Amino acid sequence: MLSIIKRILSQIKNDKRSLGLLLFAPLLVITLLYFILDDSSYVPKIAVFDINEQLVTGLDENAELTILDELPVDDNYLETNNLDALFYTDTDGLKLLMLEQNSKSTAALKAITDAVANLQKNSPNQIETSYVYETDSENLLDSMSYVILGVISFFFVFILSGMSFVRERFGQTLERMLTTPISRVDVIAGYTIGYGILAALQSVVIILYSAYVLSIHIEGSVGLSILVMILMAFSAVSIGALVSIFANNELQLVQFIPVVVNPQIFFSGLIPIDTIPFGLGNLCYFAPIYYGCTALQKIMIQGKGLAEIWPWLLGSFAYILILFSINVLALKKYRSI
Amino acid sequence: MQILIQSIEKSFKKQKVLENIDFTIESGHIFCLLGASGSGKTTLLRIIMGALKADSGSVTIDDLSVPDRRLLSLIGYMPQNDALYEELTVWENLKFFAGLHKMPRADFLKAAQALLSMTEMTDYQQKLIRNCSGGMKKRVSLMVALMHHPKLLLLDEPTVGVDPVLRRKIWQHLNSLKDGGATILVTTHVMDEVYQCDDAGLIRNGRIVALDTVKNLIASTQNSNIEELFFTNPTKDEVPAC
C-alpha cells in the first residue's frame, strides 16, 4: 500500500504540469468567478419619483439617479431606459420596482436601503419591493461560494483519479500490479490515499486562497472547512476510480464527466433540495457532493461548528467506505483472489 | 515448478480462442510457445498466470491450483505491452514493483543493479519511461519480471525490438536462471529463439498443432526449419503426443 502511495506521489512529482493543473487551475477558475461575480463596484442606475429630497441626496452618493416628473406606467420602462430600479412614493408609502433578481438589483437595493437607513436611523420606513420578473429564489451570490469551492475541487480530483485509473487499466499496469502478491484492498487503499493526499493538498490551497487572498467570507472555522473539503476530495477520488470501471478509454471517461458531475452540481445546494418535485430531491443522498457542500454551507454561511455538521461528515465518510468496498470488489475482474 | 495444463477452453464472446489445450511444462525447462499473432499465445499465458479465467479446464502449478495467492510471489510475468509507468523513471519503476513484492531494500538494490548491468541500462536508470525507446522499455519490463527472483517466468515476447547482441545476452541470462532451477515459459513468433529452448509447442488458431522437445521437432522436419511444422500439421484435431 505504501509503495502505491509513494508511486503516485513520484508520478505526479515527475509530471509537473499535472501537478500545476491540480493546484493552480482551480485557483484560476475561482479567481475568474470571483471577478465575474464581484459587483461591489457597480453603480446602480435608479429612477426616482416623488422622493424626499434628503433621501435623494443620500442616494445620489451611491447611485446614478434619474429624477422623474411623473410615474411611468409602461411595464417596460426599466428595460427600455436601461435602468436597474424605479424608486417611488405612492399612497401606501415607499415602493421599489426592479427588473429581476440579479447582482445589479442587489446593488440597487443595497444603495437604497443604505440611504434610507442613514436618513431614518431610528425607525426605518418599510419599503415595498417588487420585481418585474419575479423569482422566489434567495440571492444566488450569497449562497454560492461553498458550491463553487465544492464543485471545482470535486471536478478536478474526479478527473485526475478517473483518468489515471483508466490509464492503469488500459496500459495493463493494473493487471501487472495484480500479478504481485499485493491484496486488492491494498491496491484500492493505496490508490485512494495516494490521490487523496494530492486532493487534500488541493483543498488546503483552495480554501486558504479563497479565505485569505480573495477574502471570501467564511463565517465558521477555516480548519473545519478544509476538513470537509478533504473528505469531499476523497469521495471524488473513489468515484473517479468507480466510474473508470465503466470506461474503456480516456474519451469515455471524459464522456462520463457530464453524467457524473452535472447531477452533483444540482444537488450541491444550488437548488434547494426540498423544492425538487416528485421526491427526486432524495437522490441527493447518492451525490457525495451533497454531504460536503451542505457541511460547507453550514460552516461558511451559517457559521456552524462540528456539533451541528457531524451528520454530514458521517455521510461523507460512509460514502467513501461504500465506494471503497465497491472498488475492491470491482478489482475481482482482474484477479479473483 | 511443473505446470500442468488440462483441457483449457476459452472463448471471447462467441469466438473460440483456445480449444482443448492440454500439456505439461516440466520443472527447470525453458518452454517456448510459438505461434502467429492472434493464435492465442497471450490468452494462454494469462490463464496460466491466473489473470484470466478459463471457461473450462484447469492449470496446476506444483500441486497448487491456479489462481492461488501463494503462487503470485513465485511467478514473474512480463506482459506483451510494456505495462510500465510512463511518468516514472526506470529506477522508480523497479522500486515500485519491488515494493509490491515486499523485497528487502538491500536485496532490491543488489538485484536491480545486477539486472541494470545485464540489460545495459545502468546509464539510463534515471530516464523517464516516457522518454525511453521501445527496446529500452522492453528491457525495463523484463527487469521488473525478473527482479524478485521468481521460480516461474512467464514472458510474453520478451525480445521484440531488442537488438541481436542484447538478445543473445538476455538468452544467456535466461539460461543461467534455468540452471538455477527456474522454469521459463516464453512466447515468440521469432523462429530462431525456439532453438534456445528445451521444449516447444506450436499454437495455431487456438490449438496446439505440434508439441515436443525442440530437438525432436527439428528432427521431424526435412530442413530443420520448425516453421515447416505449421504447414505439415495443418490444424489437426488430435494433439500429437508428447
Side-chain angles (χ1 to χ4, degrees):
Chain A
M1 187 170 94
L2 209 59
S3 307
I4 297 182
I5 297 172
K6 276 194 212 155
R7 188 209 84 211
I8 288 169
L9 297 180
S10 344
Q11 260 179 308
I12 201 88
K13 184 197 82 205
N14 291 340
D15 189 1
K16 298 260 163 25
R17 197 176 303 175
S18 292
L19 184 63
L21 278 173
L22 181 72
L23 293 184
F24 298 113
L27 300 190
L28 202 70
V29 176
I30 290 172
T31 311
L32 186 64
L33 267 169
Y34 172 77
F35 283 116
I36 289 173
L37 299 179
D38 182 34
D39 44 40
S40 54
S41 59
Y42 179 74
V43 180
K45 300 190 190 73
I46 303 174
V48 290
F49 169 71
D50 193 15
I51 299 286
N52 170 329
E53 213 164 293
Q54 269 176 299
L55 190 54
V56 171
T57 327
L59 200 52
D60 204 22
E61 288 166 18
N62 296 322
E64 200 180 308
L65 293 186
T66 314
I67 315 269
L68 302 176
D69 296 333
E70 55 182 303
L71 194 62
V73 281
D74 186 4
D75 269 352
N76 295 328
Y77 175 76
L78 286 177
E79 262 174 303
T80 47
N81 291 287
N82 196 19
L83 293 166
D84 297 320
L86 174 63
F87 189 35
Y88 61 97
T89 318
D90 75 356
T91 45
D92 301 334
L94 291 172
K95 291 271 172 72
L96 179 62
L97 177 71
M98 288 177 289
L99 213 51
E100 61 188 331
Q101 276 194 340
N102 60 19
S103 56
K104 287 180 173 179
S105 62
T106 312
L109 187 60
K110 188 168 184 305
I112 288 166
T113 42
D114 282 358
V116 173
N118 269 340
L119 205 66
Q120 310 162 315
K121 284 203 171 62
N122 300 324
S123 57
N125 261 8
Q126 284 300 310
I127 306 173
E128 212 184 307
T129 313
S130 58
Y131 295 93
V132 178
Y133 304 110
E134 196 85 42
T135 53
D136 281 337
S137 70
E138 57 175 292
N139 190 317
L140 271 179
L141 289 182
D142 290 342
S143 59
M144 249 172 109
S145 56
Y146 67 93
V147 173
I148 292 167
L149 295 184
V151 169
I152 286 177
S153 146
F154 187 88
F155 191 56
F156 279 96
V157 174
F158 169 79
I159 294 175
L160 180 77
S161 82
M163 274 297 177
S164 33
F165 226 79
V166 166
R167 284 168 64 192
E168 192 121 10
R169 282 165 209 273
F170 199 56
Q172 293 181 15
T173 43
L174 182 67
E175 184 176 297
R176 185 164 214 177
M177 200 148 68
L178 290 172
T179 64
T180 70
I182 192 170
S183 70
R184 281 182 286 130
V185 172
D186 273 354
V187 172
I188 297 296
Y191 227 81
T192 311
I193 296 173
Y195 282 104
I197 289 173
L198 291 174
L201 195 65
Q202 185 203 48
S203 306
V204 173
V205 171
I206 290 181
I207 289 276
L208 291 183
Y209 182 79
S210 305
Y212 297 113
V213 180
L214 297 182
S215 326
I216 287 178
H217 184 66
I218 297 179
E219 182 75 29
S221 137
V222 172
L224 203 54
S225 311
I226 291 178
L227 178 73
V228 172
M229 288 276 283
I230 290 175
L231 271 180
M232 194 154 40
F234 267 89
S235 60
V237 170
S238 305
I239 243 189
L242 181 68
V243 168
S244 74
I245 297 170
F246 303 104
N248 284 329
N249 54 43
E250 280 107 327
L251 172 66
Q252 286 177 10
L253 188 87
V254 174
Q255 288 174 317
F256 267 114
I257 291 174
V259 182
V260 175
V261 177
N262 285 351
Q264 308 272 351
I265 299 175
F266 304 152
F267 292 118
S268 63
L270 208 53
I271 301 161
I273 301 288
D274 46 9
T275 65
I276 299 173
F278 309 123
L280 283 176
N282 290 326
L283 287 176
C284 71
Y285 299 112
F286 293 102
I289 223 172
Y290 161 76
Y291 304 97
C293 278
T294 310
L296 267 188
Q297 178 192 27
K298 293 199 180 294
I299 299 165
M300 294 177 66
I301 313 283
Q302 303 168 6
K304 297 271 171 66
L306 195 58
E308 285 98 348
I309 63 159
W310 67 266
W312 285 274
L313 292 186
L314 199 67
S316 256
F317 200 68
Y319 209 98
I320 295 168
L321 279 184
I322 292 168
L323 287 174
F324 183 88
S325 321
I326 296 175
N327 282 327
V328 170
L329 284 177
L331 274 192
K332 276 205 166 184
K333 189 177 155 196
Y334 295 86
R335 190 178 77 191
S336 50
I337 44 168
Chain B
M1 301 182 99
Q2 189 200 46
I3 309 175
L4 200 65
I5 298 156
Q6 285 171 314
S7 39
I8 292 282
E9 307 257 341
K10 178 74 189 173
S11 313
F12 288 122
K13 305 246 164 80
K14 279 197 175 137
Q15 200 198 351
K16 260 216 149 74
V17 182
L18 291 176
E19 231 179 314
N20 201 21
I21 305 282
D22 229 325
F23 66 94
T24 305
I25 298 171
E26 292 304 330
S27 182
H29 280 214
I30 301 185
F31 186 97
C32 174
L33 208 52
L34 187 69
S37 58
S39 56
K41 289 177 305 212
T42 300
T43 308
L44 182 55
L45 212 62
R46 291 177 63 202
I47 288 174
I48 294 174
M49 197 186 62
L52 204 63
K53 213 170 136 39
D55 297 339
S56 65
S58 68
V59 176
T60 316
I61 300 176
D62 269 3
D63 300 328
L64 292 174
S65 167
V66 172
D68 191 308
R69 257 183 89 176
R70 280 169 290 178
L71 284 171
L72 292 172
S73 58
L74 302 173
I75 297 179
Y77 170 61
M78 174 180 174
Q80 193 167 6
N81 66 350
D82 303 311
L84 298 166
Y85 293 95
E86 297 269 318
E87 305 87 0
L88 294 184
T89 63
V90 171
W91 184 259
E92 283 168 336
N93 265 290
L94 295 180
K95 201 171 145 190
F96 170 61
F97 284 103
L100 295 186
H101 282 286
K102 298 200 164 61
M103 283 177 81
R105 188 170 165 77
D107 197 11
F108 158 68
L109 288 176
K110 213 174 122 201
Q113 255 133 28
L115 284 168
L116 281 167
S117 84
M118 190 273 289
T119 54
E120 296 170 9
M121 287 288 288
T122 311
D123 295 343
Y124 306 108
Q125 50 179 292
Q126 293 308 328
K127 205 177 168 94
L128 288 180
I129 294 294
R130 198 196 300 145
N131 302 328
C132 283
S133 71
M136 283 175 166
K137 287 183 197 170
K138 213 76 220 184
R139 285 181 264 167
V140 179
S141 183
L142 182 67
M143 283 190 266
V144 169
L146 299 179
M147 205 168 34
H148 57 287
H149 316 297
K151 292 275 165 293
L152 172 62
L153 275 169
L154 304 172
L155 310 176
D156 203 351
E157 309 218 334
T159 54
V160 173
V162 174
D163 69 82
V165 181
L166 196 62
R167 188 183 298 180
R168 182 166 296 176
K169 220 171 157 184
I170 289 174
W171 274 106
Q172 273 168 9
H173 187 81
L174 293 181
N175 271 307
S176 75
L177 290 176
K178 175 192 138 184
D179 295 340
T183 309
I184 303 172
L185 171 58
V186 195
T187 73
T188 185
H189 59 249
V190 187
M191 297 301 154
D192 26 312
E193 297 206 318
V194 184
Y195 305 114
Q196 303 276 352
C197 306
D198 300 308
D199 311 301
L202 272 62
I203 187 167
R204 191 182 144 112
N205 294 332
R207 287 155 177 259
I208 299 279
V209 294
L211 183 80
D212 209 331
T213 62
V214 172
K215 254 183 217 158
N216 288 349
L217 284 173
I218 293 171
S220 69
T221 60
Q222 287 164 352
N223 52 3
S224 310
N225 187 353
I226 287 184
E227 219 162 1
E228 249 178 43
L229 294 172
F230 279 117
F231 304 104
T232 51
N233 291 1
T235 29
K236 281 193 297 189
D237 274 337
E238 86 273 13
V239 178
C242 195

